[in-house]
Amino acid sequence: MSKYPFNEIEKKWQKYWEENKTYRVTEDPSFPKDKRRYVLDMFPYPSGAGLHVGHPEGYTATDIYSRYLTMNGYNVLHPMGFDAFGLPAENYAIKTGTHPYTTTKKNIENFRRQLKSLGFSYDWDREISTCDEEYYHWTQWIFEKLYEKGLAYEASTPINWCPSCKTGLANEEVKEGRCERCGEKVEKKNIRQWILKITAYADRLLEDLDSLDWPESVKAMQRNWIGRSEGASVNFKIDGMDEYLEVYTTRCDTLFGATYMVIAPEHRLVKELTTVEQKEAVEKYIDETKHKSDLERTDLAKDKTGVFSGSYAINPVNGKKIPIWIADYVLISYGTGAIMAVPAHDDRDWEFAKKFGLPIIEVLKSEVDVQKQAWTEDGIHVNSEWLDGLNKKDAIEKMLSWLEEHKCGHKAINYKLRDWVFSRQRYWGEPIPLVHCPNCGTVLVPENELPLTLPEVEKYEPSGTGESPLVNVESWVNCECPKCHGAAKRETNTMPQWTGSCWYYLRFIDPHNHEAFVDPEKEKYWMPVSLYVGGTEHAVLHLLYSRFWHNVLYDLGLVSTKEPFQKLVNQGMITSFAYQKKNKSLVPVDKVKETEPGKFIEEDTGEEVTQVIAKMSKSLKNVINPDDFIRNYGADSVRMYEMFMGPLTESKPWATNGFMGVYRFLDRIWRIISERNIVDIEPEKELDRLTHKTVKKVTEDTETLNFNTAISQMMVLVNEINKLESVPKKTLETLALLLSPYTPHLAEEMWEMLGHKPSISKEKWPSYDPAKCIDDEVEIVIQVNGKLRSKLMMPVNSSKEAVLDAVRKDGKTSQWTEGKTVIKEIVVPNKLVNLVVK
RNA sequence: GCCCAAGUGGUGGAAUGGUAGACACAAAGGACUUAAAAUCCUUUGUCCGCAAGGACGUACGAGUUCGAGUCUCGUCUUGGGCACCA
């Protein structure tokens, strides 16, 4: 009895692949364009914790697919690298004084070791790290292209500020009013920032989504995030002043119902509109709102606050004077930061009007009393002079032409998408290659001086006042202006976490190029990415930012495709089991005992608990470390199990028992190959048929990434083989080939044991004969009135008449048809007969 | 509140509108063994029945169809995203 020696096998083949550069890929011109594929993983941030079980899931999926494509005659680019700038290394540096580069390098080494131990077919010669000077040289270079194109601007605006990370954040990095990284409440802070004009690409980022083979949910998230809305811009004259107040509205048809206006506390006209009598009240209110965090402002959503400015505007449609209020339920960052309020038909305006006693006028025929609640559904226009009787669509159209005719408004489009706040007041990121010169203003660092490298610093601690630790490095900050050669100062902000990943897929194509970020010919050879697999957490961060950068590069003629990632697949999260008490609190796994199947109790209290699925967490003691499983059961088992758990895109719980089943499966294969009598004979007909069926199923399911069902079919074949005294060599060769993308180490070993030269990964994928997949006899199901009543074995492709004849002779069927009239006979060839009787 | 997914045995999950539960786990029984592990064999959706067999069954309620886990409408639940966006 030889135990499955996964450890020796895996070490042996990993060494072989490394020494022989088995997975090296070149831009071989003999492959036509349609025989090239670029299969990409979302590269990891090399955290100190190492790989978690989620990583091998997506990585195994792309590895199987890449190996499958290679065996089918494709030239496949399948690279790996590291997204290496990030806060954990920097925070560790603050605590210990260790340079983030040292920490990061160590973590990368660990990650690389772990990835290699899983036997992925990456071309390691193409490995990149975003924190390498060689790499960020070109990140800075692309930034300069954006700057030259006018897509980067400096502004002092109130931005999201994380007091814990002590840095500004982009809108995309704020989740439910909290910092995406650390969960701290986000504040508003007015600091000087570099901002990228992503909004200039809003329309294209929206429209091009239609051309992408991406999950609908991710497309929907991006659409919502971009948040395009069509409406009108309307100018209200301010009473007694030579000023206009511009508002944005999607319902200009309700203009007759506008009974007051509201401007955001940060609006530029606040001062001018505030009258002497209201000055004190307004100042007090503005001061209050300033001290509210974003979260507080939204938490208090129910209770509206505001103050009257003292001024009035003129409603352009009826000349009525309406008061202008200041309230923080109007956001400065959307539209014009000012609204016309139609309290009868908007919940928020209604609440505000009620609280402050403002008039409510019904302008859409309502099914409720608008004095008692707002009517927000559609309705025919009333109290609206020349709009009365019209529906929404016609009224909007008529109002738009009226506004344009009277030069007080026009059609307008608005987006929820905001420009990308691009500077971080931190150390461990790409320096922004700009110089501030008292004479020349902002000047780019010349291309031939790139990369602008990060200097050594004494302390990594951010100042917290809105400046990066780089300000203290005088020798670095003080520099010569590239233009006038006078004394100047460097920009001390760094780029955000997401920058390196905006273009890394391009660098994999040509990672060692010193002349350009990518060679245009090589870029054309590989792009676009054919399959991109990763988690859904990047739906509006990385995936939106990189599309934006790619669009810009496309406009500059630097890349050949409009979009970077043609097909996107989101792997599901690997969760874990946990146990829940009646009061919904969760009990750690090690405190629970299974008393009988499906029944669990908490050991300490004896209370019955139910098994639930929960995220892995240290406190629940249900975190799975892939290293342990690789060590104890082999990488092939880990790969196979993660693919067997369920559909790639679903989230699913890790079950160690289920893992053992997969391990047993591989062990069984090992025992067959190492102990069974292997003979060079043609397989029997039934085994041959099953083999062809298996090749068919595994081929189809691998192609469509349905790995779990492909594996179950291989199990069916192995179960049959396992019954044989002597096994045809040919069948085992086919099995080895089918297994090779899934369990490459075991497959290489089998291939060698069967007398072949390595590497199996260079062999041709097996083909199947459709004719040999068909059974001689098929089971025909007989239904009476749609209910299963009998079954018959019939020769395949029996005629309708023959089948019906057999059914009539079938005793079981006649029990159900006796004394009744058959009014319809439905025959599905080789499958089923349904008799409709009365 | 709005926008997306998803609800199938004790568990993970299979099922081009055509036999619901493939494959695997867990469990029970058996073989081998001094014993255990490993391995192999058998049973296993629920209910009634000794059995043959029958009834029920894919969150719930309707509908379309000869036939619905699958299609349509409504309801509920869970997960994810967004949220004072005018």
Side-chain angles (χ1 to χ4, degrees), chain A residues 249-250 297 304 329 348 416 645 647 657 664 715 719 779 834:
Chain A
T249 174
T250 51
R297 249 168 102 157
K304 296 270 178 299
Y329 82 90
R348 297 152 301 176
K416 288 186 197 170
M645 290 170 86
N657 281 331
R664 277 202 285 272
M715 287 173 169
N719 287 345
E779 191 180 50
N834 189 12

Short mmCIF file of all heavy atoms in Angstrom, two decimals, chain A residues 249-250 297 304 329 348 416 645 647 657 664 715 719 779 834, chain B residues 4 12 14 18-19 23-25 39-40 66 82 84-86:
data_model
loop_
_atom_site.label_atom_id
_atom_site.label_comp_id
_atom_site.label_asym_id
_atom_site.label_seq_id
_atom_site.Cartn_x
_atom_site.Cartn_y
_atom_site.Cartn_z
N THR A 249 -32.94 70.20 -12.02
CA THR A 249 -34.13 69.43 -11.66
C THR A 249 -34.43 68.40 -12.74
O THR A 249 -34.19 68.63 -13.92
CB THR A 249 -35.36 70.33 -11.45
OG1 THR A 249 -36.50 69.49 -11.24
CG2 THR A 249 -35.63 71.22 -12.65
N THR A 250 -34.92 67.23 -12.31
CA THR A 250 -35.36 66.24 -13.30
C THR A 250 -36.84 66.44 -13.60
O THR A 250 -37.38 65.81 -14.49
CB THR A 250 -35.18 64.79 -12.76
OG1 THR A 250 -35.79 64.70 -11.48
CG2 THR A 250 -33.72 64.42 -12.68
N ARG A 297 -24.70 63.91 9.00
CA ARG A 297 -25.59 64.65 8.10
C ARG A 297 -26.62 63.71 7.50
O ARG A 297 -27.77 64.08 7.30
CB ARG A 297 -24.77 65.32 6.99
CG ARG A 297 -24.76 66.83 7.12
CD ARG A 297 -23.75 67.46 6.23
NE ARG A 297 -24.38 68.03 5.04
CZ ARG A 297 -23.82 69.00 4.32
NH1 ARG A 297 -22.65 69.51 4.66
NH2 ARG A 297 -24.42 69.47 3.27
N LYS A 304 -35.12 67.37 9.29
CA LYS A 304 -34.53 68.40 8.43
C LYS A 304 -34.17 69.66 9.23
O LYS A 304 -34.89 70.05 10.14
CB LYS A 304 -35.54 68.79 7.35
CG LYS A 304 -35.88 67.65 6.41
CD LYS A 304 -34.95 67.61 5.22
CE LYS A 304 -35.24 66.46 4.30
NZ LYS A 304 -35.11 65.13 4.91
N TYR A 329 -29.68 69.48 3.66
CA TYR A 329 -30.17 68.32 2.92
C TYR A 329 -29.90 68.51 1.43
O TYR A 329 -30.05 67.57 0.65
CB TYR A 329 -31.65 68.00 3.24
CG TYR A 329 -32.74 68.78 2.53
CD1 TYR A 329 -33.27 68.32 1.32
CD2 TYR A 329 -33.27 69.94 3.09
CE1 TYR A 329 -34.30 69.00 0.69
CE2 TYR A 329 -34.31 70.62 2.46
CZ TYR A 329 -34.82 70.16 1.25
OH TYR A 329 -35.83 70.82 0.63
N ARG A 348 -38.72 64.84 0.69
CA ARG A 348 -37.78 65.65 1.46
C ARG A 348 -38.23 67.10 1.54
O ARG A 348 -38.22 67.71 2.61
CB ARG A 348 -36.39 65.57 0.82
CG ARG A 348 -35.82 64.18 0.83
CD ARG A 348 -34.89 63.96 -0.32
NE ARG A 348 -35.56 64.16 -1.60
CZ ARG A 348 -34.94 64.10 -2.76
NH1 ARG A 348 -33.65 63.91 -2.81
NH2 ARG A 348 -35.62 64.26 -3.89
N LYS A 416 -23.85 61.37 -10.83
CA LYS A 416 -23.48 61.24 -9.42
C LYS A 416 -21.97 61.08 -9.30
O LYS A 416 -21.39 61.35 -8.26
CB LYS A 416 -24.15 60.00 -8.83
CG LYS A 416 -25.63 60.15 -8.64
CD LYS A 416 -26.18 58.93 -7.91
CE LYS A 416 -27.68 58.85 -8.08
NZ LYS A 416 -28.21 57.56 -7.61
N MET A 645 -16.26 22.66 -4.87
CA MET A 645 -17.20 23.17 -3.87
C MET A 645 -18.54 23.60 -4.43
O MET A 645 -19.57 23.45 -3.79
CB MET A 645 -16.60 24.40 -3.17
CG MET A 645 -15.45 24.11 -2.28
SD MET A 645 -14.67 25.65 -1.77
CE MET A 645 -15.65 26.07 -0.34
N PRO A 647 -20.38 26.29 -7.91
CA PRO A 647 -20.11 27.17 -9.03
C PRO A 647 -19.13 28.29 -8.65
O PRO A 647 -19.23 28.85 -7.56
CB PRO A 647 -21.48 27.76 -9.38
CG PRO A 647 -22.47 26.84 -8.77
CD PRO A 647 -21.80 26.25 -7.58
N ASN A 657 -14.80 18.35 5.68
CA ASN A 657 -15.24 17.00 5.31
C ASN A 657 -15.32 16.84 3.79
O ASN A 657 -14.95 15.80 3.26
CB ASN A 657 -16.62 16.71 5.90
CG ASN A 657 -16.51 16.33 7.37
OD1 ASN A 657 -15.50 15.79 7.80
ND2 ASN A 657 -17.54 16.61 8.13
N ARG A 664 -9.61 11.98 -1.10
CA ARG A 664 -9.80 10.54 -1.34
C ARG A 664 -9.86 10.22 -2.82
O ARG A 664 -9.36 9.20 -3.27
CB ARG A 664 -11.08 10.07 -0.66
CG ARG A 664 -10.91 9.74 0.80
CD ARG A 664 -11.99 8.79 1.29
NE ARG A 664 -13.27 9.46 1.45
CZ ARG A 664 -13.65 10.07 2.58
NH1 ARG A 664 -12.86 10.09 3.61
NH2 ARG A 664 -14.82 10.65 2.66
N MET A 715 -15.07 12.05 -11.64
CA MET A 715 -15.27 11.11 -10.52
C MET A 715 -16.05 9.89 -11.01
O MET A 715 -15.76 8.76 -10.61
CB MET A 715 -16.01 11.80 -9.37
CG MET A 715 -15.15 12.78 -8.60
SD MET A 715 -16.14 13.69 -7.40
CE MET A 715 -14.83 14.48 -6.43
N ASN A 719 -14.65 6.17 -10.77
CA ASN A 719 -15.40 5.13 -10.06
C ASN A 719 -15.56 3.87 -10.91
O ASN A 719 -15.51 2.76 -10.40
CB ASN A 719 -16.77 5.66 -9.63
CG ASN A 719 -16.67 6.65 -8.48
OD1 ASN A 719 -15.62 6.74 -7.82
ND2 ASN A 719 -17.73 7.40 -8.25
N GLU A 779 -33.48 4.66 -21.86
CA GLU A 779 -34.64 4.47 -21.01
C GLU A 779 -35.70 5.49 -21.41
O GLU A 779 -35.43 6.69 -21.46
CB GLU A 779 -34.24 4.69 -19.55
CG GLU A 779 -35.28 4.26 -18.56
CD GLU A 779 -34.82 4.52 -17.13
OE1 GLU A 779 -34.38 5.65 -16.84
OE2 GLU A 779 -34.88 3.60 -16.32
N ASN A 834 -45.71 10.96 -23.12
CA ASN A 834 -46.75 11.42 -22.20
C ASN A 834 -48.11 11.17 -22.83
O ASN A 834 -48.40 11.65 -23.92
CB ASN A 834 -46.57 12.92 -21.90
CG ASN A 834 -47.49 13.40 -20.79
OD1 ASN A 834 -48.10 12.60 -20.09
ND2 ASN A 834 -47.61 14.71 -20.65
P C B 4 -32.99 46.00 -11.12
OP1 C B 4 -33.57 45.89 -12.46
OP2 C B 4 -33.65 45.39 -9.94
"O5'" C B 4 -31.49 45.49 -11.17
"C5'" C B 4 -31.27 44.13 -11.05
"C4'" C B 4 -29.88 43.86 -10.55
"O4'" C B 4 -29.62 44.57 -9.32
"C3'" C B 4 -29.72 42.41 -10.18
"O3'" C B 4 -29.41 41.68 -11.35
"C2'" C B 4 -28.63 42.44 -9.12
"O2'" C B 4 -27.35 42.53 -9.69
"C1'" C B 4 -28.99 43.72 -8.37
N1 C B 4 -29.89 43.52 -7.22
C2 C B 4 -29.46 42.78 -6.10
O2 C B 4 -28.32 42.29 -6.09
N3 C B 4 -30.28 42.63 -5.03
C4 C B 4 -31.50 43.17 -5.06
N4 C B 4 -32.28 43.00 -3.98
C5 C B 4 -31.98 43.91 -6.17
C6 C B 4 -31.14 44.06 -7.22
P G B 12 -26.16 23.45 2.56
OP1 G B 12 -26.20 24.90 2.81
OP2 G B 12 -27.33 22.76 1.97
"O5'" G B 12 -24.89 23.12 1.66
"C5'" G B 12 -23.63 23.66 2.02
"C4'" G B 12 -22.61 23.26 0.98
"O4'" G B 12 -22.42 21.82 1.00
"C3'" G B 12 -23.02 23.54 -0.46
"O3'" G B 12 -22.86 24.90 -0.78
"C2'" G B 12 -22.05 22.62 -1.20
"O2'" G B 12 -20.75 23.15 -1.20
"C1'" G B 12 -22.10 21.37 -0.31
N9 G B 12 -23.15 20.45 -0.76
C8 G B 12 -24.45 20.39 -0.32
N7 G B 12 -25.16 19.47 -0.93
C5 G B 12 -24.28 18.89 -1.83
C6 G B 12 -24.48 17.84 -2.77
O6 G B 12 -25.51 17.21 -2.99
N1 G B 12 -23.32 17.57 -3.48
C2 G B 12 -22.12 18.22 -3.31
N2 G B 12 -21.12 17.82 -4.10
N3 G B 12 -21.92 19.20 -2.44
C4 G B 12 -23.03 19.48 -1.74
P A B 14 -24.34 23.62 -8.68
OP1 A B 14 -23.42 24.46 -9.42
OP2 A B 14 -25.73 24.07 -8.46
"O5'" A B 14 -24.32 22.22 -9.39
"C5'" A B 14 -25.42 21.43 -9.31
"C4'" A B 14 -25.22 20.23 -10.17
"O4'" A B 14 -25.64 19.11 -9.39
"C3'" A B 14 -26.11 20.28 -11.39
"O3'" A B 14 -25.33 20.69 -12.48
"C2'" A B 14 -26.64 18.85 -11.51
"O2'" A B 14 -25.75 18.02 -12.20
"C1'" A B 14 -26.70 18.44 -10.05
N9 A B 14 -27.95 18.77 -9.34
C8 A B 14 -28.17 19.74 -8.40
N7 A B 14 -29.38 19.75 -7.90
C5 A B 14 -30.00 18.71 -8.57
C6 A B 14 -31.31 18.18 -8.51
N6 A B 14 -32.25 18.65 -7.71
N1 A B 14 -31.59 17.13 -9.32
C2 A B 14 -30.65 16.66 -10.13
N3 A B 14 -29.38 17.06 -10.28
C4 A B 14 -29.13 18.10 -9.46
P G B 18 -36.16 20.24 -19.92
OP1 G B 18 -35.41 20.54 -18.70
OP2 G B 18 -35.47 20.15 -21.21
"O5'" G B 18 -36.98 18.90 -19.68
"C5'" G B 18 -37.72 18.74 -18.46
"C4'" G B 18 -38.31 17.37 -18.43
"O4'" G B 18 -39.44 17.30 -19.31
"C3'" G B 18 -37.35 16.28 -18.88
"O3'" G B 18 -37.64 15.13 -18.11
"C2'" G B 18 -37.72 16.07 -20.34
"O2'" G B 18 -37.48 14.75 -20.78
"C1'" G B 18 -39.22 16.33 -20.31
N9 G B 18 -39.77 16.90 -21.54
C8 G B 18 -39.11 17.62 -22.50
N7 G B 18 -39.91 18.05 -23.44
C5 G B 18 -41.16 17.58 -23.07
C6 G B 18 -42.42 17.73 -23.68
O6 G B 18 -42.70 18.34 -24.71
N1 G B 18 -43.42 17.10 -22.97
C2 G B 18 -43.24 16.41 -21.80
N2 G B 18 -44.31 15.88 -21.27
N3 G B 18 -42.07 16.26 -21.21
C4 G B 18 -41.09 16.87 -21.89
P U B 19 -36.83 14.87 -16.79
OP1 U B 19 -37.33 15.78 -15.74
OP2 U B 19 -35.40 14.80 -17.10
"O5'" U B 19 -37.36 13.42 -16.48
"C5'" U B 19 -38.76 13.20 -16.26
"C4'" U B 19 -38.89 12.16 -15.18
"O4'" U B 19 -38.28 10.94 -15.66
"C3'" U B 19 -38.15 12.52 -13.88
"O3'" U B 19 -38.91 12.04 -12.79
"C2'" U B 19 -36.85 11.78 -13.99
"O2'" U B 19 -36.30 11.42 -12.75
"C1'" U B 19 -37.29 10.53 -14.76
N1 U B 19 -36.21 9.93 -15.53
C2 U B 19 -35.77 8.68 -15.15
O2 U B 19 -36.26 8.07 -14.22
N3 U B 19 -34.74 8.17 -15.89
C4 U B 19 -34.12 8.78 -16.95
O4 U B 19 -33.20 8.20 -17.52
C5 U B 19 -34.62 10.08 -17.28
C6 U B 19 -35.63 10.59 -16.57
P C B 23 -23.85 9.46 -8.77
OP1 C B 23 -23.24 8.25 -9.37
OP2 C B 23 -24.69 9.35 -7.57
"O5'" C B 23 -22.69 10.51 -8.45
"C5'" C B 23 -21.62 10.73 -9.37
"C4'" C B 23 -20.78 11.88 -8.89
"O4'" C B 23 -21.55 13.12 -8.95
"C3'" C B 23 -20.35 11.82 -7.43
"O3'" C B 23 -19.23 10.98 -7.26
"C2'" C B 23 -20.04 13.27 -7.14
"O2'" C B 23 -18.82 13.68 -7.72
"C1'" C B 23 -21.18 13.96 -7.86
N1 C B 23 -22.35 14.13 -6.98
C2 C B 23 -22.38 15.23 -6.10
O2 C B 23 -21.42 16.01 -6.09
N3 C B 23 -23.44 15.40 -5.28
C4 C B 23 -24.46 14.54 -5.31
N4 C B 23 -25.47 14.75 -4.48
C5 C B 23 -24.47 13.41 -6.18
C6 C B 23 -23.41 13.24 -7.00
P A B 24 -19.11 10.10 -5.93
OP1 A B 24 -17.86 9.34 -6.08
OP2 A B 24 -20.37 9.39 -5.64
"O5'" A B 24 -18.95 11.22 -4.81
"C5'" A B 24 -17.72 11.90 -4.66
"C4'" A B 24 -17.88 13.06 -3.71
"O4'" A B 24 -19.01 13.86 -4.10
"C3'" A B 24 -18.20 12.71 -2.26
"O3'" A B 24 -17.08 12.21 -1.56
"C2'" A B 24 -18.64 14.08 -1.77
"O2'" A B 24 -17.54 14.96 -1.63
"C1'" A B 24 -19.50 14.54 -2.96
N9 A B 24 -20.90 14.19 -2.72
C8 A B 24 -21.65 13.16 -3.24
N7 A B 24 -22.89 13.12 -2.79
C5 A B 24 -22.95 14.18 -1.90
C6 A B 24 -23.98 14.69 -1.09
N6 A B 24 -25.21 14.15 -1.03
N1 A B 24 -23.72 15.76 -0.31
C2 A B 24 -22.48 16.30 -0.37
N3 A B 24 -21.43 15.92 -1.10
C4 A B 24 -21.73 14.85 -1.85
P C B 25 -17.32 11.24 -0.34
OP1 C B 25 -15.98 10.77 0.07
OP2 C B 25 -18.38 10.27 -0.63
"O5'" C B 25 -17.87 12.23 0.79
"C5'" C B 25 -17.03 13.26 1.29
"C4'" C B 25 -17.84 14.18 2.17
"O4'" C B 25 -19.02 14.63 1.47
"C3'" C B 25 -18.42 13.55 3.43
"O3'" C B 25 -17.43 13.40 4.42
"C2'" C B 25 -19.46 14.59 3.80
"O2'" C B 25 -18.86 15.74 4.33
"C1'" C B 25 -20.04 14.91 2.43
N1 C B 25 -21.23 14.09 2.12
C2 C B 25 -22.44 14.40 2.79
O2 C B 25 -22.44 15.36 3.58
N3 C B 25 -23.55 13.67 2.54
C4 C B 25 -23.49 12.66 1.67
N4 C B 25 -24.62 11.98 1.46
C5 C B 25 -22.28 12.31 0.99
C6 C B 25 -21.19 13.05 1.24
P U B 39 -10.11 5.69 2.74
OP1 U B 39 -10.00 6.74 1.71
OP2 U B 39 -11.20 5.74 3.74
"O5'" U B 39 -10.19 4.27 2.03
"C5'" U B 39 -9.27 3.93 0.99
"C4'" U B 39 -9.40 2.48 0.66
"O4'" U B 39 -9.18 1.68 1.86
"C3'" U B 39 -10.79 2.05 0.22
"O3'" U B 39 -10.99 2.32 -1.16
"C2'" U B 39 -10.76 0.54 0.51
"O2'" U B 39 -10.03 -0.16 -0.48
"C1'" U B 39 -9.99 0.52 1.82
N1 U B 39 -10.88 0.53 3.02
C2 U B 39 -11.49 -0.66 3.40
O2 U B 39 -11.33 -1.71 2.78
N3 U B 39 -12.30 -0.59 4.50
C4 U B 39 -12.55 0.53 5.25
O4 U B 39 -13.29 0.45 6.23
C5 U B 39 -11.90 1.73 4.81
C6 U B 39 -11.11 1.70 3.72
P C B 40 -12.43 2.75 -1.67
OP1 C B 40 -12.28 3.23 -3.06
OP2 C B 40 -13.08 3.61 -0.66
"O5'" C B 40 -13.19 1.36 -1.70
"C5'" C B 40 -12.80 0.33 -2.60
"C4'" C B 40 -13.51 -0.94 -2.26
"O4'" C B 40 -13.15 -1.35 -0.91
"C3'" C B 40 -15.03 -0.84 -2.19
"O3'" C B 40 -15.61 -0.87 -3.47
"C2'" C B 40 -15.37 -2.06 -1.35
"O2'" C B 40 -15.29 -3.25 -2.09
"C1'" C B 40 -14.25 -2.01 -0.30
N1 C B 40 -14.65 -1.28 0.92
C2 C B 40 -15.43 -1.94 1.89
O2 C B 40 -15.78 -3.11 1.67
N3 C B 40 -15.79 -1.28 3.01
C4 C B 40 -15.41 -0.02 3.20
N4 C B 40 -15.79 0.59 4.32
C5 C B 40 -14.62 0.69 2.23
C6 C B 40 -14.26 0.02 1.12
P C B 66 -51.48 22.30 -23.75
OP1 C B 66 -51.65 21.93 -25.17
OP2 C B 66 -52.55 23.02 -23.00
"O5'" C B 66 -51.13 20.98 -22.93
"C5'" C B 66 -52.15 20.04 -22.60
"C4'" C B 66 -51.50 18.80 -22.01
"O4'" C B 66 -50.75 18.12 -23.06
"C3'" C B 66 -50.47 19.08 -20.94
"O3'" C B 66 -51.08 19.24 -19.67
"C2'" C B 66 -49.60 17.83 -21.00
"O2'" C B 66 -50.20 16.74 -20.36
"C1'" C B 66 -49.56 17.56 -22.51
N1 C B 66 -48.40 18.17 -23.17
C2 C B 66 -47.12 17.61 -22.98
O2 C B 66 -47.01 16.64 -22.22
N3 C B 66 -46.06 18.14 -23.60
C4 C B 66 -46.21 19.20 -24.40
N4 C B 66 -45.13 19.69 -24.98
C5 C B 66 -47.48 19.80 -24.61
C6 C B 66 -48.55 19.25 -23.99
P C B 82 -21.70 50.66 -1.77
OP1 C B 82 -20.44 51.38 -2.04
OP2 C B 82 -22.00 50.16 -0.42
"O5'" C B 82 -22.92 51.57 -2.24
"C5'" C B 82 -22.88 52.21 -3.52
"C4'" C B 82 -24.19 52.86 -3.81
"O4'" C B 82 -25.26 51.88 -3.75
"C3'" C B 82 -24.67 53.91 -2.81
"O3'" C B 82 -23.99 55.15 -2.94
"C2'" C B 82 -26.13 53.99 -3.19
"O2'" C B 82 -26.34 54.68 -4.40
"C1'" C B 82 -26.47 52.52 -3.37
N1 C B 82 -26.99 51.91 -2.12
C2 C B 82 -28.33 52.14 -1.78
O2 C B 82 -29.03 52.83 -2.56
N3 C B 82 -28.82 51.63 -0.65
C4 C B 82 -28.05 50.91 0.16
N4 C B 82 -28.59 50.42 1.27
C5 C B 82 -26.67 50.67 -0.14
C6 C B 82 -26.19 51.19 -1.28
P C B 84 -27.56 60.18 1.07
OP1 C B 84 -26.41 61.03 1.23
OP2 C B 84 -27.89 59.16 2.07
"O5'" C B 84 -28.85 61.09 0.84
"C5'" C B 84 -30.09 60.50 0.51
"C4'" C B 84 -31.11 61.59 0.32
"O4'" C B 84 -31.40 62.18 1.61
"C3'" C B 84 -30.67 62.71 -0.61
"O3'" C B 84 -31.78 63.13 -1.40
"C2'" C B 84 -30.30 63.83 0.34
"O2'" C B 84 -30.51 65.10 -0.20
"C1'" C B 84 -31.29 63.59 1.48
N1 C B 84 -30.87 64.09 2.78
C2 C B 84 -31.87 64.60 3.61
O2 C B 84 -33.04 64.59 3.21
N3 C B 84 -31.53 65.09 4.82
C4 C B 84 -30.26 65.06 5.20
N4 C B 84 -29.98 65.54 6.40
C5 C B 84 -29.23 64.54 4.37
C6 C B 84 -29.57 64.07 3.18
P C B 85 -32.10 62.24 -2.72
OP1 C B 85 -33.38 62.78 -3.21
OP2 C B 85 -31.95 60.80 -2.45
"O5'" C B 85 -30.97 62.64 -3.74
"C5'" C B 85 -31.03 63.89 -4.42
"C4'" C B 85 -30.26 63.79 -5.72
"O4'" C B 85 -28.86 63.76 -5.44
"C3'" C B 85 -30.56 62.52 -6.52
"O3'" C B 85 -30.53 62.84 -7.89
"C2'" C B 85 -29.41 61.59 -6.16
"O2'" C B 85 -29.07 60.69 -7.17
"C1'" C B 85 -28.27 62.59 -5.96
N1 C B 85 -27.26 62.12 -4.98
C2 C B 85 -25.94 61.92 -5.41
O2 C B 85 -25.64 62.15 -6.58
N3 C B 85 -25.01 61.48 -4.52
C4 C B 85 -25.37 61.25 -3.26
N4 C B 85 -24.43 60.81 -2.42
C5 C B 85 -26.70 61.43 -2.81
C6 C B 85 -27.61 61.86 -3.69
P A B 86 -31.78 62.42 -8.75
OP1 A B 86 -32.34 61.14 -8.34
OP2 A B 86 -31.30 62.64 -10.11
"O5'" A B 86 -32.86 63.52 -8.40
"C5'" A B 86 -32.85 64.76 -9.03
"C4'" A B 86 -33.76 65.69 -8.28
"O4'" A B 86 -33.32 65.77 -6.90
"C3'" A B 86 -33.70 67.13 -8.79
"O3'" A B 86 -34.60 67.35 -9.85
"C2'" A B 86 -34.05 67.93 -7.54
"O2'" A B 86 -35.44 67.93 -7.33
"C1'" A B 86 -33.35 67.12 -6.46
N9 A B 86 -31.98 67.56 -6.21
C8 A B 86 -31.04 68.04 -7.07
N7 A B 86 -29.91 68.36 -6.53
C5 A B 86 -30.10 68.03 -5.20
C6 A B 86 -29.27 68.13 -4.08
N6 A B 86 -28.03 68.59 -4.13
N1 A B 86 -29.77 67.74 -2.89
C2 A B 86 -31.02 67.29 -2.84
N3 A B 86 -31.91 67.14 -3.82
C4 A B 86 -31.37 67.55 -4.99
#
